[in-house]
């Protein structure tokens, strides 16, 4: 079992920045990977950024150059730095962990970008 707890969401104006954090209850990267997804009202949940199982990172085209995923292994925490935010970035952001083939989700954190 893995518990994931997100924090850092909020309300920000267009062009602003936020940093999301996801603390995992155990070290995942020895047997899996982690990433961030988001879901806007009425839309399906979509991948935002992830550490690929083969190494490296993947980003949605819509966030490339603006968002950065990073990790602090000592703290079992993954971050999502979001810069130059746009109204279309609004949604609930979920941390995701893939561990021994099982997928785990955090409770989500709301990000709202006002125009």
């Amino acid at each position: 079992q893995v518990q994931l707890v997100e924090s850092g969401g909020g309300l920000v104006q267009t062009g602003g920045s936020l940093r999301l954090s996801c603390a995992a209850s155990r070290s995942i990267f020895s047997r899996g990977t982690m990433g961030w997804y988001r879901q806007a009202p009425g839309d399906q949940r979509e991948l935002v950024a992830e550490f690929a199982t083969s190494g490296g990172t993947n980003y949605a085209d819509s966030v490339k150059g603006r968002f950065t995923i990073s990790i602090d292994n000592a703290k079992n925490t993954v971050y999502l730095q979001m810069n130059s935010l746009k109204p279309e970035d609004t949604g609930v952001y979920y941390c995701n962990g893939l561990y021994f083939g099982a997928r785990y989700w955090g409770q989500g954190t709301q990000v709202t970008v006002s125009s």
Side-chain angles (χ1 to χ4, degrees):
Q1 283 283 350
V2 177
Q3 284 76 46
L4 303 173
V5 179
E6 303 107 330
S7 61
L11 173 64
V12 64
Q13 291 186 333
T14 297
S17 297
L18 285 173
R19 189 177 79 156
L20 306 182
S21 300
C22 173
S25 58
R26 62 168 64 207
S27 175
I28 288 182
F29 279 86
S30 61
R31 292 292 185 271
T33 190
M34 293 181 71
W36 289 94
Y37 286 69
R38 70 184 177 192
Q39 188 167 19
D43 290 346
Q44 291 186 332
R45 195 171 296 187
E46 62 176 359
L47 174 69
V48 176
E50 67 175 356
F51 288 99
T53 53
S54 58
T57 54
N58 295 320
Y59 291 93
D61 288 342
S62 60
V63 307
K64 285 180 180 177
R66 300 188 297 122
F67 291 11
T68 303
I69 190 171
S70 63
I71 184 169
D72 184 334
N73 280 307
K75 297 180 179 180
N76 296 335
T77 299
V78 173
Y79 302 97
L80 185 68
Q81 178 66 44
M82 305 185 294
N83 298 328
S84 302
L85 282 161
K86 305 175 181 180
E88 50 264 44
D89 294 318
T90 293
V92 179
Y93 283 68
Y94 295 92
C95 180
N96 172 259
L98 184 64
Y99 186 67
F100 276 105
R103 194 170 292 276
Y104 299 90
W105 296 95
Q107 80 285 357
T109 185
Q110 177 70 44
V111 172
T112 303
V113 184
S114 63
S115 57

